Amino acid sequence: MAETKSEHELNTLDRYKYAFLGFFSAVSIAMAYFSLRISPPAVPDAGANIYALLLGISIPLIIYAIAKKATHSTAGSLFASALSAPIQIYTWKTVSQFTHTLAVVLFLLTILAFLYLKETDWRLAILFPIVFAFVHIYSLALIPIYLLYMLFVKLEQREVSQPELYFMTISSAFILGVFTLFQATPALLLIVKEYAVTHYYSIVAEKVVLHTAFIIAGTLPIYLGFFGAYESLVKKRKSAYILLAGMLIFLLAMLLNIIPVALGTPYFTLVLACLSSFLYKDIYEWLETTKFKKHTNHILIISSAVVLALGILHRIVFLSA
């Protein structure tokens, strides 16, 4: 049977997706290096900087994997990955801190593992939130994220699967255990350090308000992510509920001054980038019903180039300000 045009377009995307992802990762590390050069940390740490830069390469790849699993759309996933590449992960105060980069990566890996619970043994997937608990205090955010996810599922009159329930219950208990019972672990030191960081980099001291999060993140991830969130809610996509929960919890944490805006924004914005894949999936499917269906891949390339260019421009302007 002859291959249809639509199938050919999808095969072309699958064939070159690794080239796209490699380019997005290169943009991500280039922008991180640019941040380091333009806004160097007060106390330089070459080793931490190198590790943070190398670890940052994985972020567009993880965003792609999350979006792909959530939407089953290669086009939407590549778009989300492109949107995430220039996103600001550091400020001049945190650029040298490898811990913050590792925490963001572990948070994203926890979301990815949660989405794969149907295909993966939950006892293996749970390793990500457990490691996250030992790395950073922001792992505590997973507990309200889980609760909000279950609320979304119940409101839609759907069921939480047994692996999901085990994953959420045991990882929550372990996270609480790390911060309440295991006082001899490195987590105790991280709590003390995080307390100092939170107060030293306080929102009041920096005279920062919530719109700073939008300034740091840029307009595109915010609006495209919110549109994607709306699309996923309208179509009742269960795979989006964990992303919606993550986005809302970090937004509330910044609103209530629980975490500094500069440190909470990467979590908030990268989840929005994932949610944007739902929007682009719908756009891509709509294009296939129009006279532009022969050019869907070209439109994806142009769209990705535009969001990359605007994201890079915003990053340069923000850092140079």
Side-chain angles (χ1 to χ4, degrees):
M1 183 179 293
E3 185 180 54
T4 66
K5 179 66 178 178
S6 177
E7 290 172 341
H8 175 71
E9 293 281 330
L10 292 174
N11 288 339
T12 300
L13 282 183
D14 285 327
R15 190 178 304 120
Y16 294 105
K17 65 183 179 183
Y18 295 112
F20 284 114
L21 292 172
F23 178 70
F24 300 154
S25 294
V27 170
S28 179
I29 194 171
M31 295 311 299
Y33 181 75
F34 179 77
S35 299
L36 176 63
R37 299 296 296 177
I38 298 298
S39 299
V43 182
D45 187 342
N49 291 339
I50 292 172
Y51 292 139
L53 288 172
L54 293 176
L55 190 60
I57 297 174
S58 66
I59 290 178
L61 306 179
I62 301 172
I63 294 297
Y64 171 84
I66 292 173
K68 177 72 173 182
K69 182 59 180 175
T71 64
H72 303 287
S73 168
T74 301
S77 306
L78 287 173
F79 181 80
S81 181
L83 193 61
S84 72
I87 284 178
Q88 176 79 17
I89 303 297
Y90 313 102
T91 69
W92 68 273
K93 295 175 181 176
T94 62
V95 71
S96 67
Q97 297 179 22
F98 170 71
T99 301
H100 289 294
T101 311
L102 181 59
V104 171
V105 169
L106 287 170
F107 169 73
L108 294 174
L109 287 174
T110 299
I111 298 298
L112 180 61
F114 187 86
L115 292 173
Y116 269 96
L117 284 177
K118 287 185 178 179
E119 295 88 357
T120 307
D121 190 338
W122 66 267
R123 286 165 290 193
L124 294 176
I126 206 173
L127 291 176
F128 291 115
I130 288 176
V131 175
F132 189 16
F134 280 98
V135 168
H136 207 281
I137 195 171
Y138 286 6
S139 60
L140 288 169
L142 292 174
I143 297 173
I145 288 173
Y146 295 154
L147 294 173
L148 190 55
Y149 168 78
M150 289 191 289
L151 177 62
F152 285 150
V153 172
K154 292 300 181 183
L155 288 175
E156 293 296 335
Q157 298 182 342
R158 305 176 77 166
E159 293 185 358
V160 176
S161 68
Q162 191 175 59
E164 288 176 342
L165 190 59
Y166 286 153
F167 182 92
M168 292 186 291
T169 303
I170 295 177
S171 63
S172 296
F174 195 92
I175 290 168
L176 287 174
V178 166
F179 292 105
T180 56
L181 300 177
F182 301 160
Q183 296 186 9
T185 68
L188 179 62
L189 295 177
L190 289 176
I191 291 175
V192 175
K193 290 179 180 179
E194 188 62 24
Y195 180 86
V197 169
T198 300
H199 285 72
Y200 182 75
Y201 303 135
S202 67
I203 295 175
V204 175
E206 294 181 28
K207 297 181 181 180
V208 173
V209 292
L210 186 62
H211 78 267
T212 301
F214 292 75
I215 295 172
I216 295 173
T219 302
L220 280 176
I222 300 291
Y223 288 121
L224 293 177
F226 279 131
F227 276 118
Y230 172 76
E231 288 294 323
S232 64
L233 281 174
V234 168
K235 297 189 176 179
K236 299 182 179 180
R237 291 166 171 166
K238 186 182 177 184
S239 58
Y241 294 161
I242 190 69
L243 295 171
L244 288 166
M247 180 267 289
L248 290 173
I249 291 301
F250 276 102
L251 178 60
L252 285 173
M254 291 188 292
L255 276 170
L256 299 175
N257 291 359
I258 296 173
I259 61 175
V261 170
L263 300 184
T265 301
Y267 300 86
F268 171 67
T269 318
L270 289 171
V271 171
L272 283 173
C274 293
L275 286 167
S276 72
S277 61
F278 288 96
L279 174 64
Y280 197 85
K281 176 186 178 181
D282 289 344
I283 293 173
Y284 191 86
E285 291 175 350
W286 172 76
L287 287 171
E288 290 184 326
T289 65
T290 69
K291 62 181 180 181
F292 297 105
K293 63 182 179 181
K294 295 182 179 180
H295 305 288
T296 50
N297 284 348
H298 297 100
I299 294 172
L300 172 62
I301 293 171
I302 293 171
S303 301
S304 299
V306 169
V307 298
L308 274 173
L310 291 176
I312 291 170
L313 179 62
H314 169 267
R315 185 84 169 263
I316 293 173
V317 171
F318 175 77
L319 289 172
S320 302

